[in-house]
Amino acid sequence: MKKGHVLITGGAGFIGSHLTDLLIERGFEVTVLDCLADQVHADAEMDADGWPVYLNPKAHRIKGNILDANVFEQALKGITHLAHLAASVGVGQSMTNIVEYTCNNAMGAAVILETLSKMKLEPGGLHPIRRMAVASSMSIYGEGEYRRADGVGGSIAPGLRANADLKSRLWELSEGGSSLEPIPTTEAKPLQPASVYAINKRDHEEMFLSVGRALEIPTVALRLFNAYGSRQALSNPYTGVAAIFISRLLNDQPPIVFEDGEQRRDFVHVMDVANAFATILESEKQIWDVYNVGSGRSITVNEIARTLARLLRKNIAPEVLNKYRVGDIRHCFADISKLERDFGIRPQRDFEQGMEELIAWVAKARKPIDKSNRSMAELEASKLVV
Ligand SMILES: NC(=O)c1ccc[n+]([C@@H]2O[C@H](COP(=O)([O-])OP(=O)(O)OC[C@H]3O[C@@H](n4cnc5c(N)ncnc54)[C@H](O)[C@@H]3O)[C@@H](O)[C@H]2O)c1
Protein backbone atom coordinates (compact mmCIF):
# COMPACT_ATOMS: atom_id res chain seq x y z
CA MET A 1 0.00 0.00 0.00
CA LYS A 2 1.44 3.38 -1.10
CA LYS A 3 1.88 6.17 1.47
CA GLY A 4 0.17 8.60 -0.90
CA HIS A 5 0.44 10.02 -4.40
CA VAL A 6 2.62 13.12 -4.79
CA LEU A 7 2.36 15.53 -7.71
CA ILE A 8 5.70 17.26 -8.25
CA THR A 9 5.52 20.34 -10.45
CA GLY A 10 8.93 20.91 -12.04
CA GLY A 11 9.69 17.26 -11.22
CA ALA A 12 11.95 16.82 -14.26
CA GLY A 13 14.30 19.56 -13.02
CA PHE A 14 17.35 19.38 -10.82
CA ILE A 15 15.77 19.24 -7.35
CA GLY A 16 12.44 17.77 -8.51
CA SER A 17 14.06 14.69 -10.06
CA HIS A 18 16.00 13.88 -6.88
CA LEU A 19 12.83 14.38 -4.85
CA THR A 20 11.06 11.99 -7.23
CA ASP A 21 13.67 9.29 -6.53
CA LEU A 22 13.51 9.76 -2.78
CA LEU A 23 9.71 9.73 -2.54
CA ILE A 24 9.48 6.57 -4.67
CA GLU A 25 12.12 4.96 -2.45
CA ARG A 26 10.03 5.91 0.62
CA GLY A 27 6.88 4.29 -0.72
CA PHE A 28 5.00 7.11 -2.48
CA GLU A 29 3.52 7.05 -5.95
CA VAL A 30 4.83 10.05 -7.88
CA THR A 31 3.55 12.02 -10.85
CA VAL A 32 5.83 14.59 -12.45
CA LEU A 33 4.24 17.60 -14.15
CA ASP A 34 6.81 19.54 -16.16
CA CYS A 35 6.79 21.66 -19.32
CA LEU A 36 10.45 20.72 -20.00
CA ALA A 37 11.47 24.37 -20.42
CA ASP A 38 14.07 24.81 -23.18
CA GLN A 39 16.45 26.88 -21.11
CA VAL A 40 16.75 24.01 -18.61
CA HIS A 41 16.52 20.94 -20.83
CA ALA A 42 17.51 21.87 -24.42
CA ASP A 43 21.12 20.67 -24.07
CA ALA A 44 20.45 17.73 -21.72
CA GLU A 45 20.36 14.06 -22.63
CA MET A 46 16.74 13.07 -23.31
CA ASP A 47 15.06 9.69 -23.84
CA ALA A 48 13.01 8.74 -26.91
CA ASP A 49 9.90 10.40 -25.41
CA GLY A 50 11.74 13.65 -24.78
CA TRP A 51 12.20 13.29 -21.00
CA PRO A 52 15.57 13.64 -19.22
CA VAL A 53 17.29 10.23 -19.11
CA TYR A 54 17.85 10.56 -15.35
CA LEU A 55 14.12 10.72 -14.54
CA ASN A 56 12.95 7.76 -12.45
CA PRO A 57 11.16 5.22 -14.72
CA LYS A 58 8.62 4.52 -11.95
CA ALA A 59 7.32 8.11 -12.02
CA HIS A 60 4.20 8.93 -14.04
CA ARG A 61 4.94 11.80 -16.43
CA ILE A 62 2.78 14.62 -17.70
CA LYS A 63 4.30 17.09 -20.10
CA GLY A 64 2.38 20.28 -19.44
CA ASN A 65 2.46 23.81 -18.15
CA ILE A 66 1.20 24.78 -14.69
CA LEU A 67 -0.15 27.97 -16.24
CA ASP A 68 -2.75 25.85 -18.01
CA ALA A 69 -5.50 25.33 -15.42
CA ASN A 70 -7.00 22.41 -17.38
CA VAL A 71 -3.69 20.56 -17.47
CA PHE A 72 -3.16 21.16 -13.78
CA GLU A 73 -6.71 20.06 -12.89
CA GLN A 74 -6.25 16.81 -14.84
CA ALA A 75 -2.87 16.21 -13.21
CA LEU A 76 -4.50 16.38 -9.77
CA LYS A 77 -6.58 13.20 -10.29
CA GLY A 78 -5.82 10.80 -7.41
CA ILE A 79 -3.19 13.14 -5.91
CA THR A 80 -2.87 13.35 -2.10
CA HIS A 81 0.26 15.52 -1.71
CA LEU A 82 1.65 18.44 -3.71
CA ALA A 83 5.28 19.54 -4.04
CA HIS A 84 5.44 22.76 -6.05
CA LEU A 85 8.86 23.32 -7.58
CA ALA A 86 8.16 24.54 -11.12
CA ALA A 87 9.56 28.03 -11.61
CA SER A 88 11.83 30.25 -13.65
CA VAL A 89 14.93 30.35 -11.48
CA GLY A 90 17.50 32.95 -12.64
CA VAL A 91 17.99 35.90 -10.29
CA GLY A 92 19.85 38.03 -12.87
CA GLN A 93 17.55 37.08 -15.74
CA SER A 94 14.49 38.03 -13.66
CA MET A 95 15.64 41.66 -13.75
CA THR A 96 15.18 41.83 -17.54
CA ASN A 97 12.52 39.17 -18.28
CA ILE A 98 10.16 40.64 -15.70
CA VAL A 99 6.87 39.69 -17.36
CA GLU A 100 8.02 36.12 -18.03
CA TYR A 101 9.23 35.65 -14.44
CA THR A 102 6.21 37.17 -12.77
CA CYS A 103 3.89 35.22 -15.04
CA ASN A 104 5.56 31.85 -14.54
CA ASN A 105 6.24 32.20 -10.82
CA ALA A 106 3.44 34.31 -9.32
CA MET A 107 0.74 33.45 -11.88
CA GLY A 108 1.84 29.80 -11.79
CA ALA A 109 1.16 29.78 -8.05
CA ALA A 110 -2.16 31.56 -8.64
CA VAL A 111 -3.35 28.93 -11.17
CA ILE A 112 -2.41 26.09 -8.82
CA LEU A 113 -4.08 27.62 -5.79
CA GLU A 114 -7.26 28.65 -7.58
CA THR A 115 -7.58 25.12 -8.96
CA LEU A 116 -7.14 23.69 -5.45
CA SER A 117 -9.76 26.09 -4.10
CA LYS A 118 -12.32 24.74 -6.61
CA MET A 119 -11.74 21.05 -5.90
CA LYS A 120 -14.61 18.97 -4.59
CA LEU A 121 -14.13 18.16 -0.91
CA GLU A 122 -14.17 14.60 0.41
CA PRO A 123 -16.86 13.32 2.80
CA GLY A 124 -16.29 15.04 6.15
CA GLY A 125 -15.29 18.24 4.37
CA LEU A 126 -11.64 17.22 3.97
CA HIS A 127 -9.62 18.58 1.07
CA PRO A 128 -8.30 15.76 -1.16
CA ILE A 129 -4.81 17.30 -0.93
CA ARG A 130 -3.53 16.38 2.52
CA ARG A 131 -0.29 18.39 2.51
CA MET A 132 1.71 20.85 0.38
CA ALA A 133 5.37 21.80 0.29
CA VAL A 134 6.53 24.70 -1.85
CA ALA A 135 10.03 25.71 -2.95
CA SER A 136 10.84 29.18 -1.68
CA SER A 137 14.30 30.73 -1.68
CA MET A 138 16.87 32.37 0.56
CA SER A 139 16.83 35.25 -1.93
CA ILE A 140 13.68 36.59 -0.25
CA TYR A 141 15.77 37.70 2.76
CA GLY A 142 17.82 40.18 0.77
CA GLU A 143 20.86 40.72 2.98
CA GLY A 144 21.32 38.08 5.64
CA GLU A 145 21.55 38.70 9.37
CA TYR A 146 24.54 40.57 10.83
CA ARG A 147 25.97 41.84 14.11
CA ARG A 148 28.31 44.71 14.87
CA ALA A 149 31.95 43.64 14.67
CA ASP A 150 32.62 45.46 17.97
CA GLY A 151 30.13 43.12 19.67
CA VAL A 152 27.76 45.92 20.75
CA GLY A 153 24.05 44.99 20.52
CA GLY A 154 22.41 41.88 19.04
CA SER A 155 21.34 40.70 15.64
CA ILE A 156 20.85 43.33 12.91
CA ALA A 157 18.85 43.09 9.69
CA PRO A 158 20.52 45.78 7.56
CA GLY A 159 18.91 47.28 4.48
CA LEU A 160 20.22 46.70 0.99
CA ARG A 161 23.56 48.28 0.18
CA ALA A 162 23.46 51.86 -1.14
CA ASN A 163 24.22 52.27 -4.86
CA ALA A 164 26.78 54.98 -3.99
CA ASP A 165 28.72 52.50 -1.79
CA LEU A 166 28.60 49.83 -4.49
CA LYS A 167 29.84 52.29 -7.11
CA SER A 168 32.76 53.11 -4.77
CA ARG A 169 33.48 49.36 -4.53
CA LEU A 170 32.63 49.32 -0.80
CA TRP A 171 31.33 45.78 -0.75
CA GLU A 172 31.00 45.14 3.00
CA LEU A 173 28.20 46.54 5.15
CA SER A 174 28.60 48.99 7.99
CA GLU A 175 26.32 50.85 10.37
CA GLY A 176 27.02 54.13 12.14
CA GLY A 177 30.72 53.85 11.32
CA SER A 178 31.00 50.33 12.77
CA SER A 179 31.59 47.42 10.39
CA LEU A 180 29.10 44.57 10.40
CA GLU A 181 29.84 40.86 10.29
CA PRO A 182 27.44 38.22 8.96
CA ILE A 183 25.85 35.63 11.26
CA PRO A 184 23.50 32.73 10.37
CA THR A 185 20.16 34.02 9.08
CA THR A 186 17.03 32.86 10.90
CA GLU A 187 13.51 32.61 9.51
CA ALA A 188 12.56 35.59 11.73
CA LYS A 189 14.68 38.00 9.69
CA PRO A 190 12.47 40.61 7.96
CA LEU A 191 12.17 39.91 4.24
CA GLN A 192 13.77 42.35 1.83
CA PRO A 193 13.82 40.75 -1.62
CA ALA A 194 16.32 42.47 -3.94
CA SER A 195 15.34 40.98 -7.33
CA VAL A 196 12.16 40.27 -9.27
CA TYR A 197 12.79 36.53 -8.79
CA ALA A 198 13.02 37.06 -5.02
CA ILE A 199 9.83 39.16 -5.00
CA ASN A 200 8.06 36.41 -7.01
CA LYS A 201 9.27 33.79 -4.52
CA ARG A 202 8.15 35.82 -1.51
CA ASP A 203 4.76 36.34 -3.12
CA HIS A 204 4.26 32.74 -3.99
CA GLU A 205 5.41 31.57 -0.54
CA GLU A 206 2.82 33.89 1.04
CA MET A 207 0.13 32.89 -1.47
CA PHE A 208 0.63 29.20 -0.68
CA LEU A 209 0.57 29.78 3.07
CA SER A 210 -2.50 31.97 2.94
CA VAL A 211 -4.58 29.70 0.65
CA GLY A 212 -3.24 26.58 2.41
CA ARG A 213 -4.60 27.96 5.69
CA ALA A 214 -7.95 28.85 4.13
CA LEU A 215 -8.33 25.35 2.64
CA GLU A 216 -6.96 23.70 5.82
CA ILE A 217 -4.18 22.00 3.86
CA PRO A 218 -1.02 21.91 6.02
CA THR A 219 1.55 23.89 4.03
CA VAL A 220 5.27 24.39 4.39
CA ALA A 221 7.46 26.76 2.38
CA LEU A 222 11.09 25.71 2.25
CA ARG A 223 13.56 28.57 1.87
CA LEU A 224 16.26 26.79 -0.07
CA PHE A 225 19.80 28.10 0.05
CA ASN A 226 22.20 27.33 -2.84
CA ALA A 227 21.55 23.74 -3.86
CA TYR A 228 24.26 21.83 -5.71
CA GLY A 229 24.59 18.29 -7.03
CA SER A 230 24.11 16.09 -10.06
CA ARG A 231 21.54 16.89 -12.77
CA GLN A 232 21.76 20.66 -12.46
CA ALA A 233 21.52 22.13 -15.97
CA LEU A 234 25.18 22.83 -16.68
CA SER A 235 24.53 24.71 -19.92
CA ASN A 236 21.97 27.06 -18.36
CA PRO A 237 23.91 30.28 -17.64
CA TYR A 238 21.13 31.59 -15.38
CA THR A 239 21.17 28.70 -12.94
CA GLY A 240 23.23 27.89 -9.82
CA VAL A 241 26.74 29.22 -9.41
CA ALA A 242 28.40 25.79 -8.98
CA ALA A 243 26.96 24.59 -12.33
CA ILE A 244 27.95 27.82 -14.10
CA PHE A 245 31.51 27.61 -12.75
CA ILE A 246 31.81 23.95 -13.80
CA SER A 247 30.66 24.83 -17.30
CA ARG A 248 33.28 27.60 -17.52
CA LEU A 249 36.09 25.39 -16.20
CA LEU A 250 35.27 22.47 -18.49
CA ASN A 251 35.51 24.91 -21.39
CA ASP A 252 38.91 26.11 -20.05
CA GLN A 253 37.50 29.49 -19.08
CA PRO A 254 37.84 31.17 -15.66
CA PRO A 255 34.74 31.29 -13.45
CA ILE A 256 33.50 34.89 -13.44
CA VAL A 257 33.18 36.25 -9.92
CA PHE A 258 31.27 39.44 -9.09
CA GLU A 259 32.56 42.00 -6.53
CA ASP A 260 35.72 40.60 -4.89
CA GLY A 261 34.43 37.02 -4.59
CA GLU A 262 34.47 37.16 -0.78
CA GLN A 263 30.67 37.16 -0.48
CA ARG A 264 29.45 34.24 1.66
CA ARG A 265 26.77 31.75 0.70
CA ASP A 266 25.43 28.44 2.01
CA PHE A 267 25.77 25.45 -0.36
CA VAL A 268 23.46 22.59 0.46
CA HIS A 269 23.54 19.19 -1.23
CA VAL A 270 20.51 18.45 -3.41
CA MET A 271 19.84 15.19 -1.50
CA ASP A 272 19.59 17.18 1.73
CA VAL A 273 17.05 19.42 0.01
CA ALA A 274 15.11 16.40 -1.27
CA ASN A 275 15.21 14.87 2.22
CA ALA A 276 13.71 18.04 3.72
CA PHE A 277 10.84 18.00 1.20
CA ALA A 278 10.19 14.27 1.57
CA THR A 279 10.28 14.28 5.39
CA ILE A 280 7.88 17.20 5.55
CA LEU A 281 5.50 15.60 3.05
CA GLU A 282 5.56 12.38 5.11
CA SER A 283 4.91 14.16 8.40
CA GLU A 284 1.44 14.42 9.94
CA LYS A 285 2.07 17.80 11.61
CA GLN A 286 -0.73 20.32 11.16
CA ILE A 287 1.39 23.35 10.35
CA TRP A 288 1.61 26.35 8.07
CA ASP A 289 5.17 27.57 8.35
CA VAL A 290 8.51 28.44 6.71
CA TYR A 291 11.88 26.73 7.13
CA ASN A 292 15.43 27.37 6.00
CA VAL A 293 17.06 24.48 4.15
CA GLY A 294 20.81 24.98 4.12
CA SER A 295 24.00 23.31 5.24
CA GLY A 296 24.50 25.69 8.17
CA ARG A 297 28.00 26.37 6.87
CA SER A 298 29.18 29.40 4.92
CA ILE A 299 31.67 29.48 2.09
CA THR A 300 32.90 32.29 -0.16
CA VAL A 301 32.28 32.37 -3.89
CA ASN A 302 36.08 32.39 -4.41
CA GLU A 303 36.36 29.19 -2.35
CA ILE A 304 33.70 27.53 -4.52
CA ALA A 305 35.57 28.51 -7.69
CA ARG A 306 38.90 27.24 -6.31
CA THR A 307 37.43 23.98 -4.98
CA LEU A 308 35.81 23.20 -8.33
CA ALA A 309 39.00 24.03 -10.25
CA ARG A 310 41.00 21.72 -7.95
CA LEU A 311 38.51 18.85 -8.24
CA LEU A 312 38.32 19.24 -12.02
CA ARG A 313 42.14 19.39 -12.13
CA LYS A 314 42.10 22.75 -13.92
CA ASN A 315 44.79 25.25 -13.06
CA ILE A 316 42.45 28.22 -13.65
CA ALA A 317 41.97 31.05 -11.14
CA PRO A 318 38.61 32.83 -10.98
CA GLU A 319 38.28 36.12 -12.87
CA VAL A 320 37.40 38.65 -10.18
CA LEU A 321 35.35 41.35 -11.89
CA ASN A 322 35.34 43.96 -9.14
CA LYS A 323 31.87 44.90 -10.45
CA TYR A 324 28.51 44.17 -8.87
CA ARG A 325 25.41 42.59 -10.29
CA VAL A 326 22.27 44.56 -9.49
CA GLY A 327 20.06 42.50 -7.17
CA ASP A 328 22.93 40.59 -5.53
CA ILE A 329 23.39 40.67 -1.77
CA ARG A 330 26.67 40.47 0.10
CA HIS A 331 26.32 37.61 2.59
CA CYS A 332 23.59 35.18 3.50
CA PHE A 333 23.85 31.71 5.06
CA ALA A 334 21.35 29.68 6.98
CA ASP A 335 20.52 29.11 10.60
CA ILE A 336 19.13 25.58 10.24
CA SER A 337 18.08 24.98 13.85
CA LYS A 338 14.31 25.42 13.27
CA LEU A 339 14.11 22.53 10.77
CA GLU A 340 16.05 20.29 13.14
CA ARG A 341 13.98 21.30 16.17
CA ASP A 342 10.59 20.73 14.48
CA PHE A 343 11.37 17.83 12.12
CA GLY A 344 14.71 16.39 13.28
CA ILE A 345 16.15 17.16 9.83
CA ARG A 346 19.91 17.78 9.65
CA PRO A 347 22.07 17.94 6.51
CA GLN A 348 23.86 14.63 5.92
CA ARG A 349 26.31 15.55 3.14
CA ASP A 350 29.51 17.36 3.91
CA PHE A 351 30.66 19.93 1.33
CA GLU A 352 33.86 18.23 0.15
CA GLN A 353 32.13 14.82 -0.24
CA GLY A 354 29.17 16.43 -2.04
CA MET A 355 31.40 18.33 -4.45
CA GLU A 356 33.38 15.15 -5.24
CA GLU A 357 30.11 13.36 -6.06
CA LEU A 358 29.10 16.27 -8.28
CA ILE A 359 32.40 16.14 -10.16
CA ALA A 360 32.04 12.34 -10.61
CA TRP A 361 28.64 12.97 -12.24
CA VAL A 362 30.03 15.78 -14.41
CA ALA A 363 32.72 13.41 -15.72
CA LYS A 364 29.97 11.14 -17.10
CA ALA A 365 27.62 13.91 -18.31
CA ARG A 366 27.55 15.54 -21.72
CA LYS A 367 30.13 18.36 -21.97
CA PRO A 368 28.31 21.63 -21.20
CA ILE A 369 28.13 24.54 -23.63
CA ASP A 370 29.45 27.68 -21.97
CA LYS A 371 26.86 30.43 -22.47
CA SER A 372 28.16 32.78 -19.76
CA ASN A 373 29.43 35.36 -22.24
CA ARG A 374 25.93 35.69 -23.69
CA SER A 375 24.25 36.11 -20.28
CA MET A 376 26.96 38.58 -19.22
CA ALA A 377 26.43 40.63 -22.41
CA GLU A 378 22.68 40.71 -21.69
CA LEU A 379 23.28 41.91 -18.13
CA GLU A 380 25.74 44.57 -19.28
CA ALA A 381 23.42 45.80 -22.04
CA SER A 382 20.68 46.21 -19.42
CA LYS A 383 23.09 48.08 -17.08
CA LEU A 384 22.72 45.31 -14.50
CA VAL A 385 26.48 44.84 -14.08
CA VAL A 386 28.04 48.03 -12.74
N1 LIG B 1 18.55 25.21 -7.15
C1 LIG B 1 18.62 26.07 -6.15
O1 LIG B 1 19.70 26.35 -5.61
C2 LIG B 1 17.37 26.71 -5.60
C3 LIG B 1 17.50 27.64 -4.56
C4 LIG B 1 16.36 28.25 -4.07
C5 LIG B 1 15.12 27.91 -4.57
N2 LIG B 1 15.02 27.01 -5.59
C6 LIG B 1 13.70 26.69 -6.11
O2 LIG B 1 13.57 25.29 -6.22
C7 LIG B 1 12.74 24.96 -7.34
C8 LIG B 1 13.43 23.97 -8.25
O3 LIG B 1 14.65 24.54 -8.69
P1 LIG B 1 15.69 23.74 -9.60
O4 LIG B 1 17.02 24.25 -9.27
O5 LIG B 1 15.38 22.31 -9.54
O6 LIG B 1 15.31 24.35 -11.04
P2 LIG B 1 15.23 23.62 -12.48
O7 LIG B 1 15.21 24.74 -13.48
O8 LIG B 1 16.25 22.56 -12.61
O9 LIG B 1 13.80 22.91 -12.43
C9 LIG B 1 12.61 23.61 -12.61
C10 LIG B 1 11.71 22.73 -13.47
O10 LIG B 1 10.46 23.38 -13.58
C11 LIG B 1 10.01 23.25 -14.92
N3 LIG B 1 9.08 24.36 -15.17
C12 LIG B 1 9.37 25.68 -15.18
N4 LIG B 1 8.25 26.39 -15.44
C13 LIG B 1 7.24 25.49 -15.58
C14 LIG B 1 5.86 25.59 -15.85
N5 LIG B 1 5.29 26.78 -16.07
N6 LIG B 1 5.12 24.47 -15.91
C15 LIG B 1 5.68 23.24 -15.72
N7 LIG B 1 7.00 23.08 -15.47
C16 LIG B 1 7.76 24.19 -15.39
C17 LIG B 1 11.27 23.28 -15.76
O11 LIG B 1 11.08 22.66 -17.03
C18 LIG B 1 12.25 22.53 -14.89
O12 LIG B 1 12.25 21.13 -15.21
C19 LIG B 1 12.40 26.29 -8.01
O13 LIG B 1 11.13 26.71 -7.56
C20 LIG B 1 13.47 27.24 -7.50
O14 LIG B 1 13.01 28.58 -7.47
C21 LIG B 1 16.12 26.40 -6.13
Side-chain angles (χ1 to χ4, degrees):
M1 166 96 169
K2 295 285 179 197
K3 284 186 183 164
H5 188 165
V6 187
L7 179 66
I8 308 182
T9 69
F14 165 48
I15 298 173
S17 66
H18 284 284
L19 178 59
T20 300
D21 289 345
L22 195 58
L23 286 169
I24 289 173
E25 192 183 303
R26 292 195 187 172
F28 283 91
E29 191 170 352
V30 172
T31 293
V32 164
L33 171 61
D34 201 298
C35 68
L36 301 172
D38 263 1
Q39 184 165 297
V40 186
H41 299 283
D43 299 309
E45 213 179 322
M46 305 304 246
D47 67 17
D49 298 320
W51 289 88
V53 288
Y54 55 67
L55 195 60
N56 195 306
K58 292 187 183 148
H60 309 285
R61 297 141 188 237
I62 302 172
K63 183 174 177 195
N65 200 309
I66 51 162
L67 293 169
D68 184 333
N70 290 328
V71 168
F72 187 68
E73 197 182 336
Q74 288 303 313
L76 280 173
K77 293 230 156 70
I79 296 298
T80 55
H81 298 68
L82 176 65
H84 174 46
L85 279 79
S88 301
V89 303
V91 172
Q93 193 180 33
S94 77
M95 300 298 280
T96 51
N97 300 13
I98 299 171
V99 173
E100 176 197 330
Y101 268 70
T102 304
C103 182
N104 208 31
N105 296 347
M107 272 304 286
V111 170
I112 290 176
L113 295 169
E114 188 163 317
T115 309
L116 293 182
S117 78
K118 290 178 177 157
M119 277 175 91
K120 194 165 169 263
L121 299 183
E122 289 176 346
L126 288 177
H127 198 282
I129 304 299
R130 300 209 288 264
R131 178 167 294 271
M132 302 195 282
V134 54
S136 180
S137 162
M138 52 78 80
S139 63
I140 70 177
Y141 288 123
E143 278 300 335
E145 249 171 273
Y146 288 75
R147 69 176 168 216
R148 282 172 62 130
D150 59 15
V152 176
S155 151
I156 297 173
L160 300 174
R161 293 174 292 176
N163 279 348
D165 286 346
L166 292 170
K167 283 183 180 150
S168 309
R169 286 18 186 165
L170 288 174
W171 305 130
E172 295 294 345
L173 287 90
S174 60
E175 197 177 80
S178 172
S179 59
L180 299 180
E181 60 184 31
I183 58 173
T185 296
T186 62
E187 290 84 350
K189 194 217 155 244
L191 304 182
Q192 208 168 21
S195 66
V196 170
Y197 167 77
I199 292 165
N200 294 162
K201 282 275 142 181
R202 180 203 57 197
D203 286 356
H204 104 239
E205 172 180 301
E206 291 180 358
M207 287 162 76
F208 263 79
L209 286 164
S210 119
V211 177
R213 269 192 202 95
L215 299 178
E216 297 187 47
I217 306 172
T219 303
V220 167
L222 294 177
R223 294 177 177 168
L224 312 183
F225 281 65
N226 296 65
Y228 71 92
S230 60
R231 304 177 186 169
Q232 194 158 26
L234 296 177
S235 300
N236 178 357
Y238 307 100
T239 184
V241 66
I244 295 171
F245 285 1
I246 288 171
S247 173
R248 293 284 291 170
L249 288 163
L250 287 178
N251 285 286
D252 294 318
Q253 296 297 318
I256 299 169
V257 164
F258 293 105
E259 306 184 13
D260 59 357
E262 290 303 301
Q263 50 277 50
R264 293 196 159 270
R265 295 291 184 270
D266 182 324
F267 280 80
V268 56
H269 194 274
V270 66
M271 283 312 295
D272 286 321
V273 174
N275 179 47
F277 269 100
T279 307
I280 280 167
L281 286 168
E282 273 181 311
S283 138
E284 301 282 319
K285 277 184 197 277
Q286 296 292 303
I287 51 165
W288 290 263
D289 211 343
V290 298
Y291 290 91
N292 286 340
V293 181
S295 68
R297 208 192 126 184
S298 79
I299 183 162
T300 69
V301 173
N302 283 332
E303 283 171 307
I304 291 285
R306 285 193 216 105
T307 303
L308 290 170
R310 174 170 51 79
L311 293 173
L312 288 166
R313 296 198 171 80
K314 298 275 181 184
N315 190 13
I316 304 177
E319 181 185 336
V320 178
L321 275 191
N322 209 30
K323 292 180 179 176
Y324 67 95
R325 188 171 55 172
V326 175
D328 273 359
I329 52 99
R330 183 62 180 167
H331 304 294
C332 189
F333 45 92
D335 180 312
I336 52 174
S337 54
K338 186 175 170 191
L339 193 61
E340 179 169 16
R341 190 192 64 218
D342 289 1
F343 288 95
I345 298 171
R346 278 188 61 75
Q348 300 300 313
R349 291 289 203 298
D350 116 282
F351 178 74
E352 195 67 25
Q353 176 202 1
M355 281 289 163
E356 277 169 18
E357 267 174 45
L358 170 60
I359 298 304
W361 171 75
V362 165
K364 288 184 274 164
R366 187 179 280 180
K367 186 180 172 195
I369 303 161
D370 174 27
K371 298 178 185 162
S372 300
N373 290 340
R374 192 178 79 192
S375 68
M376 188 63 78
E378 279 170 16
L379 286 173
E380 281 181 336
S382 305
K383 306 263 178 296
L384 291 170
V385 175
V386 184

